Amino acid sequence: MLKRHLVTLITASVLALMSIPTWSQMGGGGTGGGGMGGGGGMPSGGSMSWPSGGSGMSSGMGMGQGGSMAGARSERQMHAEALRQGHRDLLDFDPRGNLIVRDEIVGFGATAQGLANAQAAGFIIRRQDALQGVDGDFVVLAAPQRMSVRKALKKLREIDPGAAYDFNHIYFESGAEAGAASGAAIVPAPQTPGEGQGSARRVGLIDGGVQPSHPALRSLTLRNHGCNGTVVPSAHGTAIASRLVVGFNDAVPTMPHVDLYAADVYCGTPVGGSADAVIHGLAWLIEENVPVINVSLVGPPNTLLQRVVDLASAQGHLIVAAVGNDGPSAPPLYPAAYPGVVAVTAVDRADKVLIEAGRGKFLAFAAPGADIEAASLPTGYSPVRGTSFAAPIVASQLALLLEHPDPVAAQRAVSELVASAVDLGAPGRDPVYGNGCIGCAAPNAAAEAARPR
């Protein structure tokens, strides 16, 4: 009995020491690390170029009652393990522990000679098409039999060094239903579009499918993409769409006409959320000239995804992404941590950052992401929590400021939003709240004067 107690005490002590973040982990602006945060692609991180200063739901961090952390592993990690366990024929892990489509390598910009050499080496071309929005060819190759996917990736990069190749990583939703509401929740009030609002605002969504008949979305004109033209409504995608509506409602007195371009990258399949699907969704939105794109998904760095994100940013599109819910000491998650992406964290009703929210120097803004409700299937509302639900608040307000993709106008739109943000935490831009909160009430003068400096 005594021996059992000693083992329990030693184990608890070790776990407590392991949970203490290092100084470098708290910085958050570096490259992807091991575990679920790293990837087989080319890690990049770094600081965002925006100006500083100025005023299935399955991947939220495991949360107990009262918002406490449930354990050392995120729900995203546990969900990845469960998916792989149930679909070993379709899914696997890369050398860093990130979930991938089994035996698949994705490529962008492959040459004809490179693909011919790859086929001669035993690779099989599963899919190949032109990405119109980014003016490049995309290919999915199957690794040769009896060759590990790690060796297959290395081989392809040797065969065709001018192209980009990487694992077909899986990306997860960055928020979840919160269970019972903790106090009064903010319920989005549906509005119909107002008259005389000028040209329609366009915003893109990379997520699960959106329920077109939900009453919270009646002010939107929905344009769907993916799943071979079939609408496959998801709880997360529908909730994010409703939070976009909230963002517009909060920013202007009358709801403008909004065209929502929704790319479903899940389609209810076990391999949903693959880099393949996310990249095709982004390319479609770029081709459709959608200026602001919300991505409430997270995953490891991926060479191809980064290349498409870079191309979108260079053309003047704003990609707004959730930072994820793996905890403050977790490695950065992507696409939020890529340079030029508008990374968003979440705060609760008291304007405090969520304990599970990611942090980093790349962080641009905070927005409400707890003590709120969002549209649920089939027609109601449910409490939600996570950085997923904060990102669309920022995306909506940027969509009001950016009518068309344009690099200069995009920079100006972010600058205007920085100027309107409510500064939280340390004065100025910081790795916890970014440039401040969008959608938070401005503090009164007395509270601001009493804030520690």
Side-chain angles (χ1 to χ4, degrees):
M1 190 70 176
L2 178 58
K3 183 177 180 181
R4 184 181 302 171
H5 283 307
L6 286 172
V7 170
T8 302
L9 286 171
I10 292 170
T11 302
S13 299
V14 171
L15 288 174
L17 287 171
M18 290 174 65
S19 68
I20 298 173
T22 66
W23 177 254
S24 62
Q25 287 174 320
M26 291 298 289
T31 60
M36 290 295 295
M42 187 180 300
S44 79
S47 298
M48 234 176 64
S49 59
W50 304 127
S52 60
S55 39
M57 297 188 184
S58 55
S59 63
M61 190 69 186
M63 300 298 298
Q65 293 295 323
S68 61
M69 303 291 280
R73 293 190 306 160
S74 70
E75 286 186 14
R76 185 172 62 88
Q77 290 172 304
M78 292 186 286
H79 184 53
E81 290 165 5
L83 271 175
R84 195 244 183 176
Q85 185 66 27
H87 303 280
R88 287 180 175 271
D89 58 326
L90 299 174
L91 298 168
D92 203 348
F93 290 112
D94 75 4
R96 297 195 178 195
N98 302 296
L99 194 66
I100 59 174
V101 180
R102 188 177 187 85
D103 294 330
E104 282 193 355
I105 303 294
V106 289
F108 182 73
T111 64
Q113 186 60 53
L115 289 179
N117 292 341
Q119 288 178 298
F123 287 88
I124 298 173
I125 297 176
R126 286 186 174 174
R127 299 183 296 281
Q128 185 177 11
D129 64 334
L131 296 180
Q132 300 297 333
V134 293
D135 192 25
D137 290 333
F138 184 90
V139 63
V140 179
L141 299 113
Q145 288 186 354
R146 293 181 296 278
M147 181 183 289
S148 73
V149 71
R150 179 184 63 81
K151 290 183 179 179
L153 177 58
K154 182 180 179 182
K155 183 70 174 177
L156 276 174
R157 287 174 172 172
E158 293 171 350
I159 289 174
D160 196 9
Y165 291 100
D166 212 330
F167 302 115
N168 199 0
H169 290 113
I170 299 293
Y171 290 80
F172 291 88
E173 300 153 345
S174 185
E177 291 187 2
S182 55
I186 302 171
V187 180
Q191 295 185 21
T192 54
E195 298 295 331
Q197 293 297 311
S199 61
R201 297 298 167 174
R202 294 183 300 161
V203 62
L205 181 64
I206 302 285
D207 213 289
V210 175
Q211 174 59 269
S213 62
H214 199 288
L217 311 180
R218 67 188 184 201
S219 59
L220 303 176
T221 298
L222 190 60
R223 305 180 189 278
N224 294 302
H225 175 78
C227 311
N228 296 317
T230 302
V231 177
V232 185
S234 73
H236 191 267
T238 303
I240 298 303
S242 74
R243 292 293 291 161
L244 285 166
V245 173
V246 171
F248 284 113
N249 287 341
D250 287 349
V252 290
T254 305
M255 178 73 183
H257 183 83
V258 177
D259 289 337
L260 174 60
Y261 290 74
D264 187 348
V265 299
Y266 289 98
C267 302
T269 69
V271 296
S274 66
D276 176 2
V278 173
I279 289 167
H280 276 83
L282 280 172
W284 172 67
L285 292 169
I286 294 169
E287 183 182 10
E288 293 293 330
N289 221 32
V290 178
V292 178
I293 301 167
N294 187 90
V295 186
S296 288
L297 311 178
V298 294
N302 181 281
T303 306
L304 276 71
L305 179 59
Q306 180 176 5
R307 184 167 292 194
V308 175
V309 166
D310 289 345
L311 288 169
S313 298
Q315 295 179 30
H317 298 264
L318 287 175
I319 296 176
V320 181
V323 298
N325 311 306
D326 282 9
S329 62
L333 295 173
Y334 298 84
Y338 284 132
V341 173
V342 181
V344 182
T345 189
V347 298
D348 61 18
R349 186 174 48 203
D351 294 345
K352 299 295 184 184
V353 70
L354 303 192
I355 189 174
E356 69 270 27
R359 301 183 184 185
K361 295 178 181 179
F362 56 86
L363 216 159
F365 296 104
D371 305 315
I372 56 174
E373 290 194 346
S376 60
L377 300 179
T379 59
Y381 296 89
S382 295
V384 292
R385 179 184 177 101
T387 58
S388 264
F389 310 105
I393 301 301
V394 174
S396 293
Q397 300 210 21
L398 285 173
L400 291 170
L401 298 171
L402 185 64
E403 191 171 349
H404 302 288
D406 177 86
V408 175
Q411 185 80 22
R412 184 168 57 246
V414 176
S415 296
E416 289 184 34
L417 203 60
V418 167
S420 68
V422 176
D423 194 15
L424 300 175
R429 185 172 181 174
D430 64 70
V432 179
Y433 296 97
N435 290 296
C437 184
I438 304 302
C440 294
N444 60 50
E448 180 65 13
R451 187 165 65 124
R453 300 285 177 174

